[in-house]
Amino acid sequence: PKMKEDNCLHAALICLGMLCYSHAVTTEKLNHARPSLHGHHEKGKEGQVLHRSKRGWVWNQFFVIEEYTGPDPVLVGRLHSDIDSGDGNIKYILSGEGAGIIFVIDDKSGNIHATKTLDREERAQYTLTAQAVDRNTNRPLEPPSEFIVKVQDINDNPPEFLHENYHANVPERSNVGTSVIQVTASDADDPTYGNSAKLVYSILEGQPYFSVEAQTGIIRTALPNMDREAKEEYHVVIQAKDMGGHMGGLSGTTKVTITLTDVNDNPPKFPQSVYQMSVSEAAVPGEEVGRVKAKDLDIGENGLVAYSIIDGDGMDMFEITTDYETQEGVVKLKKLLDFETKKSYSLKVEAANVHIDPKFISNGPFKDTVTVKISVEDADEPPVFLKPSYIFEVQENAASGTVVGKVHAKDPDAANSAIRYSIDRHTDLERYFIINAEDGNIKTIKALDREEIAWHNISVFAVEVHKQHQEAKVPVAIKVVDVNDNAPKFAAAYEAFVCENARSNQQFTTISADDKDDSANGPRFIFSLPPEIIHNPNFTLRDNRDNTASVLVRREGFSRQKQDLYLLPIVISDGGLPPMSSTNTLTIRVCGCDSNGSLLSCNAEAYILNAGLSTGALIAILACIVILLVIVVLFVTLKRQKKEPLIVFEEEDVRENIITYDDEGGGEEDTEAFDIATLQNPDGINGFIPRKDIKPEYQYMPRPGLRPAPNSVDVDDFINTRIQEADNDPTAPPYDSIQIYGYEGRGSVAGSLSSLESATTDSDLDYDYLQNWGPRFKKLADLYGSKDTFDDDS
């Protein structure tokens, strides 16, 4: 059926084109007389000569239907000049857009045909130029003229939406007719010709919830009170149809996803009426007890819930906070609990929306309440002291065993276990105190000295008898009360000076005292002279009654030659009960002063001059001693500068330069860390062992004939003789520090390491380089040089 409709449409369009063509080829008659070839002149209103060009085309606009698919080329129109007499001498030429490719012209008849199918949506019109020329000479007979070929539109393009899918939101429970979104489609056909581009919108899917305006494409709500909590997302299909929506029009569709946004139309609701919780009495404040949660079907800020405690006997003991991530109410402990005092609490908790929409306030109160019952669980608590700390006093020097004070703790649990007390020895390292484990009485072990330690800060433990892990600790401060057991003394080591020319009753020094006791046992010091010297002829004492005393001169005329030093005893008493006193000695020196009383010298030079040598004599003696020391130092220095020659230059027997060292080591005393048995020759266990561990009772006499002649210079013979004597000497004791290891193991690849065996072999060392060492090494070069060199030198 659709193909039949298209064929009918094409036939109608062809008829329409032919009508246009017949209208185009109609000859246009000019309203004025036919001009000559060169034109003619007309006078204007003002006598101006006007020139009018000749018009020779029979002219009109041409039309051609798009998408024509007939078997023959489409006749677009015919060009004809009024000078064409039909004898074939005129040739028509076509140029311009598409000439020769899309449009072709019959050069004799002037008929124009379209050789290709045209698409108006690709190009709506073409501009062409036509000209008539002489067929023989190609001379233009007419000026060229432009004309337009328009492509006639047909409905060959369906509507298309701007987007394939649309997404839109609309609040839930919106009123009917609330605008959701506008969808727009476009049609490529000509909107000015027919109804090919006239679109009508309709909804294919989404009823009865939404509707669409036919002309504008605006989608609106069609159902009241749509609930997001019931259904949140809707899928709507919108159709756009051209031809005004009539039959035969083309259509296009798009999908629209519409989401209902949330509004606060649901109050929070607890899923149960009572919550049961429990907490240990050992819990600390801030610890979480439990959680409650009121469900709200709304989301986002519409679903936010805040929790609060509005009533109950546990309002002071508990608090509730809101966990906004989980939307839960967190019940926390606010104060310490005591199972023995109260075992359960009740709370009334309210959950309310944070944000409320006034439009839906009529839906009821947006809050809910629930009862929370909290039971306190008994915990095994440590003992509790009746006081957080204790302060006791005890007098110093109190006898051992004196009671200082008593601490007391109890078990807060219902079992009321017995308590045992002890002192933390880390706080009483000197062990001044002891505590009774049963009743908590603290006593002294040894005497206390306030002047040494005025306060003792100890710690006392209380432990349950049957539960040793449960303990408590309390600080105990013990003040040592002062007893007047220290006499006052001089505040410093005073040494006074008095002038020889001092006047009578002249004050020359002031003294003060110090007492280690507390100020309560010596608020004022009393200064006096001992009774036996109360009438001292030289000095007197005056108590200033401000814990100081002044020493005065009683007579005039002191002399250093007679006495340059005086010792004045002074008695100092404190104000304690009973008072304590001490006698302190003040040293007074007699000094020489000028007329103004300024100190000049306190040296006792007169006594030294009378008793011994003068100062000049002492200086002379010291100078002599220094000179003697310098002479000794010079002598020692010269002795150290003497050096012994390294080589003996005199010609002498070489044997006199050989020094034998009998002591070559500590013997077996030096090898106590080694197993000496591993170095003994197992082959000589049953044979003769020449070495002894004790001193022999007889002396070994060297065999005659073994010692070389005194004048012999054969060093090899000399050494071999000494080696043979040592090997065969049965009296060679170990105490001469010669340690010889005759056996060094069997099967050694290296053989013996003994240096003594090297004497039996000829040395292959070359000592010729000694000749180049100078005269000091000449003797060694003679002894150890090559044989030829030795013969040459001799």
Side-chain angles (χ1 to χ4, degrees), residues 684-760:
I685 294 178
N686 298 323
F688 173 74
I689 299 177
R691 299 299 181 202
K692 303 292 184 180
D693 292 337
I694 59 174
K695 185 177 180 180
E697 296 179 357
Y698 60 91
Q699 294 295 328
Y700 166 71
M701 297 301 294
R703 290 180 293 173
L706 295 178
R707 186 177 298 277
N711 295 328
S712 174
V713 293
D714 191 348
V715 179
D716 293 339
D717 294 342
F718 177 80
I719 293 176
N720 291 331
T721 303
R722 292 297 187 185
I723 292 174
Q724 188 175 4
E725 288 180 359
D727 290 340
N728 297 318
D729 185 5
T731 63
Y735 52 79
D736 65 354
S737 300
I738 298 176
Q739 184 66 46
I740 298 173
Y741 300 101
Y743 176 73
E744 299 182 6
R746 294 177 183 164
S748 173
V749 177
S752 175
L753 299 178
S754 174
S755 61
L756 298 179
E757 294 181 1
S758 63
T760 61

Side-chain angles (χ1 to χ4, degrees), residues 484 486-489 491 512-519 521-528 543-549 571-576 580:
N484 193 19
N486 290 278
K489 295 181 180 180
S512 62
D514 188 13
D515 195 336
K516 293 182 179 180
D517 292 323
D518 191 32
S519 59
N521 288 315
R524 190 178 72 82
F525 298 117
I526 300 172
F527 300 87
S528 62
D543 193 341
N544 297 326
R545 298 183 178 276
D546 60 354
N547 292 333
T548 63
V571 178
I572 307 175
S573 301
D574 58 22
M580 297 286 292

